[in-house]
Amino acid sequence: MSTVELADERAPAATRIGLHLALLQLVFTLLWTTYVIYLPKLAAQAGIAPSAVVLILMLDQAIFTLSDTAMGLAADRIGRAAARFGLFIGLLTAVSCAAFVALPFVAASTGPAVFIGLIAIWALTSSVLRAPPLTLLGRHAARPAIPFLAALVMLGYGVAGAVSPYLGVILRDYDPRLPFVISSAVLLLTALGLSRIPQDSGRAAQAAAKPEPRPLRGLPLLFIGAMVILALGYQLHFSINSSAFYLRFARPEDLSWLMPVFWIGFNLVLFPASVVVKHRGGLIVMGFAGLLGALAIVIAELAGALTVLIVAQFIAGAAWGCMMMSAISAALAIGTTGAEGKVTGLVFSALALATFARIAAVAGGLQKLPDYAPLVQWAPVACWLVAGAGLLAMAAAGLQGRRASPP
């Protein structure tokens, strides 16, 4: 069988994986949104002070920071045994969903220790739904198809981000038990569907593509360091600064319609950018997206009209979409020797660490302190600018190294 025929044979299976993972990202992100919406109410029922809710959210992110990488490492080891991979995903997802569903049912009848324990179990086991499923792309997809499939997966994440503000408006008056049960059931069924995906010689798909040179030594750590900085810039810009930007020109009740502009830009750019990643590489696209995003944030900071701000937020969202899609593609490429789970897990750990830092900053009221307000205001620009320039330097060094290496 020729390499072209082999790639054509594997393409439908890889596309099915991409679609399945997009749905998984969508459902899981909406489940997280549901959790954040109801957590203050449930914590109060469990006898936890409102001021401690932010500490629970920080605990979640601390667990994610450690468990995402651990789950990625486990996926690399367990994934080699095809029959065990689906079981690994399914069992941990079942435990995760059981702990999640229990939260609204036991909150009023148990103490804070049990309630927080269930949250910790849920956070720990839910990490199985991030890096491990993405390792399937590295094992079943031909290398040129990975950017498109990464864009497909990130579309689920972006759509969830766009609808989350409306979900908060819809769910705030509902009893939490029904949303928790429904979201968990859908998530469990989606995760169990991964066990139906054939786990045979996925490496054959990669053999159909022209092998790429091995990455430079130290590249994974530099890449993850840049990812932490990019994620911190996103957290500070979108989660802290964006609403304040809009409130210069709009009313608070308009935010639910304006905040999704960022995610519209995120979603629309994914597939065009994947074509560039396919031909130029993920690091280059991440670098240029970082610089473009920094420029967009500057425009948002200085915008004198709502229309200008909307355009700037759209571009910033598009830049973040490029960064996320390219990061998944680059992680799978860097870990192509069997470490896809490890490198992808580190990417998600970087995202969780940045979220932890943002929640800690908000909890400390950093953005309200006069001495630190300018720092919070302009830090996103510095983060995306520095990380973008660093990624372009890495890409240039890699290109120079490949040209210098013997054929």
Side-chain angles (χ1 to χ4, degrees), residues 44-284:
Q45 292 177 359
I48 297 173
S51 59
V53 171
V54 68
L55 299 179
I56 296 176
L57 292 173
M58 291 173 64
L59 173 65
D60 295 336
Q61 299 305 320
I63 292 173
F64 290 152
T65 300
L66 299 176
S67 61
D68 281 343
T69 299
M71 289 294 181
L73 289 168
D76 286 334
R77 295 178 63 86
I78 297 174
R80 296 167 192 161
R84 294 165 59 189
F85 192 81
L87 182 63
F88 169 63
I89 298 284
L91 284 178
L92 286 184
T93 303
V95 173
S96 175
C97 290
F100 188 76
V101 168
L103 290 175
F105 287 91
V106 306
S109 59
T110 189
V114 174
F115 183 77
I116 294 176
L118 285 172
I119 290 176
I121 293 172
W122 167 70
L124 178 64
T125 53
S126 65
S127 286
V128 78
L129 297 172
R130 285 187 285 277
L134 286 172
T135 62
L136 293 173
L137 295 183
R139 296 190 178 111
H140 286 261
R143 184 66 51 75
I146 286 180
F148 171 79
L149 297 173
L152 201 58
V153 174
M154 285 297 102
L155 182 64
Y157 173 73
V159 170
V163 304
S164 290
Y166 311 119
L167 192 65
V169 174
I170 294 172
L171 291 181
R172 62 187 176 189
D173 295 327
Y174 279 85
D175 185 305
R177 288 174 292 185
L178 185 59
F180 271 57
V181 170
I182 292 176
S183 59
S184 296
V186 174
L187 180 63
L188 180 59
L189 291 174
T190 305
L192 291 177
L194 290 173
S195 63
R196 300 175 61 88
I197 295 173
Q199 299 291 319
D200 54 0
S201 61
R203 295 285 174 194
Q206 292 186 1
K210 182 180 179 180
E212 293 184 3
R214 294 177 62 86
L216 297 175
R217 284 187 180 182
L219 179 59
L221 290 179
L222 293 173
F223 167 68
I224 296 302
M227 192 66 216
V228 172
I229 298 173
L230 291 174
L232 182 60
Y234 155 71
Q235 288 291 337
L236 293 174
H237 168 67
F238 182 77
S239 300
I240 295 181
N241 294 342
S242 288
S243 58
F245 291 164
Y246 281 123
L247 290 176
R248 298 200 309 249
F249 311 104
R251 299 168 299 176
E253 54 267 30
D254 296 328
L255 288 179
S256 61
W257 301 101
L258 292 171
M259 294 295 282
V261 168
F262 181 94
W263 294 106
I264 294 172
F266 181 101
N267 292 324
L268 290 181
V269 79
L270 288 173
F271 295 104
S274 71
V275 177
V276 184
V277 173
K278 176 180 177 180
H279 294 287
R280 300 299 179 193
L283 294 181
I284 292 178

Side-chain angles (χ1 to χ4, degrees), residues 302-317:
L302 303 177
L306 180 60
T307 304
V308 176
L309 177 56
I310 288 174
V311 172
Q313 288 288 72
F314 179 91
I315 297 173

